[in-house]
């Protein structure tokens, strides 16, 4: 049963605050030669910001019995500025299958957690994982479903890979591109 094909996303946030001054042996503070600009003091944008937007693409679902079908997919990632959470909606369809996944994921110190729901099959569960650079490694679990999940985002391109365990779905591979609005 391909009850849930979740794709969630999160990336570790690195905050950089440069040293603005240096203490001398006599206790006085000496400014460094490089000026500190307001932008240098501003924390980096949350990694979910890199996922925000509408994405489209295609992929492949592989089932037992050497069955493979091409998927057409649309995804939407909604991230509120200043938030450490993201709402995800992914819809994929082939000639014989479709899934409609929604998920809410929270990132804290590089760890992610949340809930997912698949509407077409009426199943749901938890998602948890971690982030390393631009790659998310997670596990989605439900009552009768477990799947490894990998999401890699580079600019306006994203790959999603799911490997369910103990179901007739062997794998799902999706390549997405962010739809960029023209000016």
């Amino acid at each position: 049963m391909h009850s849930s094909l979740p794709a969630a996303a999160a990336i570790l946030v690195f905050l950089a605050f440069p040293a603005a001054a240096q203490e001398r042996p006599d206790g006085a503070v000496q400014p460094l030669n490089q000026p500190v600009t307001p932008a240098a003091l501003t924390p980096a944008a949350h990694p979910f910001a890199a996922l925000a937007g509408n994405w489209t693409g295609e992929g492949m679902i592989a089932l037992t019995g050497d069955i493979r079908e091409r998927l057409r997919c649309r995804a939407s990632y909604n991230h509120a500025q200043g938030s450490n959470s993201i709402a995800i909606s992914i819809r994929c369809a082939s000639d014989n299958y479709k899934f409609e996944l929604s998920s809410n994921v929270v990132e804290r110190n590089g760890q992610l957690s949340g809930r997912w729901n698949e509407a077409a099959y009426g199943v749901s569960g938890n998602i948890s994982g971690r982030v390393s650079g631009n790659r998310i490694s997670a596990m989605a679990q439900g009552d009768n479903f477990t799947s490894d999940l990998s999401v890699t985002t580079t600019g306006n391109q994203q790959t999603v890979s799911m490997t369910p365990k103990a179901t007739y779905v062997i794998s799902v591979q999706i390549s997405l591109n962010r739809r960029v609005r023209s000016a």
Side-chain angles (χ1 to χ4, degrees):
M1 151 158 126
H2 52 271
S3 54
S4 111
L5 301 172
I11 301 171
L12 181 60
V13 177
F14 291 101
L15 300 177
F17 295 98
Q22 191 172 30
E23 187 173 340
R24 296 190 319 211
D26 64 0
V29 176
Q30 174 181 344
L32 294 177
N33 293 335
Q34 298 175 337
V36 176
T37 63
L41 294 174
T42 303
H46 193 277
F48 284 156
L51 302 172
N54 296 310
W55 301 71
T56 59
E58 54 188 41
M60 186 71 63
I61 184 170
L63 308 165
T64 57
D66 203 27
I67 299 169
R68 295 184 184 280
E69 290 201 23
R70 189 175 174 157
L71 293 168
R72 297 164 307 279
C73 301
R74 290 180 297 152
S76 174
Y77 297 89
N78 294 308
H79 169 68
Q81 188 173 357
S83 169
N84 67 341
S85 65
I86 194 163
I88 302 162
S89 173
I90 297 177
R91 295 175 185 220
C92 290
S94 71
D95 290 339
N96 295 301
Y97 299 95
K98 85 172 187 177
F99 60 90
E100 299 178 29
L101 173 78
S102 61
S103 181
N104 288 299
V105 179
V106 175
E107 179 274 337
R108 286 188 183 93
N109 299 318
Q111 300 296 311
L112 68 101
S113 62
R115 298 273 309 154
W116 59 266
N117 178 60
E118 200 291 315
Y121 298 94
V123 293
S124 61
N126 295 316
I127 187 165
S128 61
R130 61 184 174 76
V131 179
S132 177
N134 64 342
R135 181 181 165 117
I136 298 164
S137 299
M139 175 75 67
Q141 296 180 308
D143 288 338
N144 297 312
F145 181 83
T146 301
S147 179
D148 290 327
L149 170 67
S150 172
V151 179
T152 303
T153 305
T154 304
N156 289 326
Q157 297 182 335
Q158 184 177 90
T159 57
V160 178
S161 176
M162 293 171 255
T163 310
K165 298 175 190 317
T167 72
Y168 66 88
V169 177
I170 296 171
S171 70
V172 175
Q173 305 292 324
I174 303 169
S175 295
L176 299 169
N177 293 298
R178 187 183 347 241
R179 289 187 277 170
V180 180
R181 293 181 182 171
S182 55

